Amino acid sequence: MSYEMIALLMFASMMVLLLTGQRVFAAIGFVASAMVLMLYGTGGVEIPFSAAFKLFNWFPMLTLPLFIYMGYILSEAGIAEDLYRALHVWFGRVRGGLAIGTIFLMVIISAMNGLSVAGMAIGATIALPEMLRRGYDKALITGVVQGGSSLGILVPPSVVLVLYGMIARQPVSQLWLAGVIPGLLMAAMFIVYVVIRAKMNPALAPTVPEEDLNMPRREKLKLLRAGIIPFLIFFLMTGLFVMGITSLVESSAVGATSATLAAAIKGRLSFRLIHETARKTLGVSCMFLWLILAALAFGSVFDGLGAVRALENLFINNWDLSPWQVIIMMQVSFIVMGMFLDDTAMLVIVAPLYVPLVKMLDLGFDNQLIWFGVLYTMTCQIAYITPPFGYNLFLMRAMAPKEITLTDIYRSIWPFVIMMAATIALVMLFPQIALWLPAAVR
């Protein structure tokens, strides 16, 4: 059997196991282990074993549980809920102001969390009921929460970019910086969209009644204190890192410690809070670790077959595709796979093929793998909110008030999918949107 057929058999076996409902890490790890034993005998176990243990020598891996812990403790302590109350008052008089305030909230939560789950939970349980009560259009606000929460995987400290950095062996600090401007650009598009829709059809987004906003300026300024803690956490964690005072791992420790102190200052730190946060952090961290170990084992066997060279030969020599056509094909494949798989599963499956291939392509600029990591993450955002199996669609259905139907959820996403696709196109046309900040801070 040729190496190409062996590589195809590996992928086919993995997909069959995934379709049976097996856990992603178990399916990928089993295929890697079985294939290495069949190809090289018992001595072949050293190949995935050594590749997996490289991970334990990679110090930035410590950031993963710390960032997850930070996000959960801020969510469980209700700090985001306090912040939304302040945004509610300060943006209430603007047409569509609550929706705009929700997008701001999502950006701030993203900068404190690194996952889309926390933003989705806060938006669905706090922002949605409030906007529904004020007469906002169901499709508009559902799309705002889904699109805004997806920013959590792009704006630093993005956990998805940490995972990409682990697998692609790229500096996480550069990946984070590369995600800042595309993330803010996407958030700005969302805000402009809400403003235009509200102006064109005021019934979609009414202003908050005066009696709700009529409070002394002193009380309004008091509400602003809700934003001080999130800003301080973000500055201590990201600002010190950008200024070169702390390393990446130290920054994650600063963020986790600051979040714990914030919960204590608010009087919400308790054994129950610590226990619940630690349990969730352990569960998510272990899941990611098993997936990364399986990905590295699979990738080491796959790379040993020379499959990446075979794919390069197929795309560039046989099909005569240009480097940019290859990148577009990769992006399309991400969108298709994202309809059925989550971001981590996608990365685990395609990293052995795509990351080495991107490194070989001549796109005309440096830091191609950093740029590709941002592209991958933005495509994951689209995958999160597209049917039939978009991750955020199911979360929204589970968390949203009963007035929000599945039809409303599906109808709400398409304007945001278009804006995300437009951002991807801009980053592809102008790579410096992603690469300028990493180059400036280096």
Side-chain angles (χ1 to χ4, degrees):
M1 186 182 290
S2 67
Y3 287 136
E4 289 84 355
M5 284 303 297
I6 295 172
L8 187 60
L9 178 64
M10 285 182 69
F11 263 102
S13 303
M14 181 176 61
M15 294 309 296
V16 168
L17 284 175
L18 288 172
L19 289 172
T20 63
Q22 293 294 328
R23 295 182 184 273
V24 175
F25 79 85
I28 296 167
F30 174 78
V31 171
S33 303
M35 198 57 66
V36 79
L37 287 172
M38 284 191 286
L39 288 172
Y40 307 110
T42 54
V45 296
E46 293 295 331
I47 298 173
F49 182 83
S50 61
F53 262 80
K54 285 179 184 175
L55 182 66
F56 294 106
N57 293 325
W58 198 59
F59 203 55
M61 190 183 71
L62 291 171
T63 62
L64 191 63
L66 289 169
F67 284 133
I68 294 169
Y69 167 87
M70 180 183 68
Y72 274 124
I73 204 163
L74 288 171
S75 176
E76 296 286 331
I79 291 169
E81 187 175 348
D82 296 342
L83 183 60
Y84 185 74
R85 288 199 194 98
L87 293 171
H88 167 87
V89 171
W90 281 91
F91 285 94
R93 284 194 173 89
V94 179
R95 178 74 59 184
L98 290 186
I100 295 169
T102 300
I103 294 170
F104 275 109
L105 177 68
M106 295 293 153
V107 173
I108 295 167
I109 295 300
S110 299
M112 297 188 299
N113 181 270
L115 292 167
S116 72
V117 179
M120 172 65 73
I122 290 161
T125 57
I126 299 172
L128 269 185
E130 187 64 32
M131 289 189 282
L132 282 172
R133 194 165 65 86
R134 304 296 179 188
Y136 273 67
D137 178 69
K138 290 190 289 183
L140 175 67
I141 59 177
T142 305
V144 163
V145 171
Q146 289 190 101
S149 65
S150 72
L151 293 169
I153 66 170
L154 182 59
V155 176
S158 165
V159 171
V160 173
L161 285 174
V162 173
L163 295 174
Y164 175 84
M166 288 179 182
I167 294 173
R169 290 290 185 266
Q170 294 300 303
V172 175
S173 57
Q174 296 286 291
L175 287 165
W176 277 359
L177 292 169
V180 171
I181 295 177
L184 294 178
L185 177 62
M186 198 178 288
M189 283 188 180
F190 295 168
I191 291 170
V192 170
Y193 166 74
V194 169
V195 169
I196 292 172
R197 286 294 307 275
K199 197 165 285 255
M200 290 173 63
N201 187 356
L204 294 178
T207 56
V208 176
E210 278 297 320
E211 56 267 24
D212 286 7
L213 302 176
N214 195 11
M215 62 173 62
R217 186 171 295 277
R218 192 172 125 196
E219 289 295 318
K220 287 187 179 180
L221 291 172
K222 205 170 172 183
L223 280 173
L224 279 181
R225 290 190 305 185
I228 295 174
I229 287 178
F231 174 78
L232 283 175
I233 292 173
F234 181 72
F235 173 76
L236 287 171
M237 180 183 63
T238 309
L240 295 177
F241 171 65
V242 170
M243 289 187 293
I245 298 172
T246 59
S247 68
L248 177 64
V249 178
E250 289 167 345
S251 292
S252 63
V254 166
T257 305
S258 301
T260 307
L261 289 174
I265 291 168
K266 287 282 186 179
R268 295 166 187 170
L269 188 65
S270 64
F271 177 78
R272 187 204 63 80
L273 176 68
I274 293 293
H275 179 268
E276 190 66 19
T277 301
R279 188 180 61 80
K280 290 181 178 179
T281 300
L282 182 63
V284 175
S285 300
C286 289
M287 178 192 71
F288 280 140
L289 186 60
W290 276 112
L291 279 166
I292 296 164
L293 288 171
L296 291 172
F298 188 91
S300 65
V301 179
F302 207 76
D303 192 44
L305 292 171
V308 175
R309 287 288 178 185
L311 194 68
E312 180 192 15
N313 187 59
L314 175 68
F315 282 168
I316 297 173
N317 297 333
N318 295 359
W319 291 2
D320 197 28
L321 297 179
S322 71
W324 283 102
Q325 287 172 324
V326 173
I327 292 291
I328 291 169
M329 280 188 63
M330 291 177 179
Q331 294 302 108
V332 172
S333 72
F334 280 140
I335 292 173
V336 173
M337 283 192 294
M339 294 179 181
F340 306 95
L341 299 168
D342 64 29
D343 53 355
T344 311
M346 274 199 297
L347 182 59
V348 166
I349 290 169
V350 301
L353 280 175
Y354 287 1
V355 169
L357 187 57
V358 171
K359 198 173 182 179
M360 295 174 187
L361 295 175
D362 182 13
L363 299 172
F365 56 89
D366 296 327
N367 293 325
Q368 290 177 183
L369 287 179
I370 298 291
W371 169 82
F372 184 71
V374 174
L375 277 189
Y376 161 76
T377 306
M378 288 195 292
T379 313
C380 284
Q381 290 180 275
I382 294 178
Y384 264 39
I385 62 173
T386 46
F389 300 116
Y391 186 56
N392 278 13
L393 297 177
F394 291 118
L395 285 175
M396 175 61 76
R397 188 71 189 91
M399 297 179 188
K402 60 180 182 298
E403 301 98 301
I404 304 289
T405 65
L406 196 59
T407 304
D408 294 325
I409 293 171
Y410 280 170
R411 196 160 51 95
S412 71
I413 60 173
W414 300 111
F416 293 87
V417 168
I418 292 168
M419 286 184 279
M420 289 175 184
T423 311
I424 291 172
L426 285 171
V427 173
M428 291 179 72
L429 289 169
F430 307 103
Q432 289 306 310
I433 292 174
L435 298 178
W436 174 80
L437 191 56
V441 175
R442 184 179 296 170

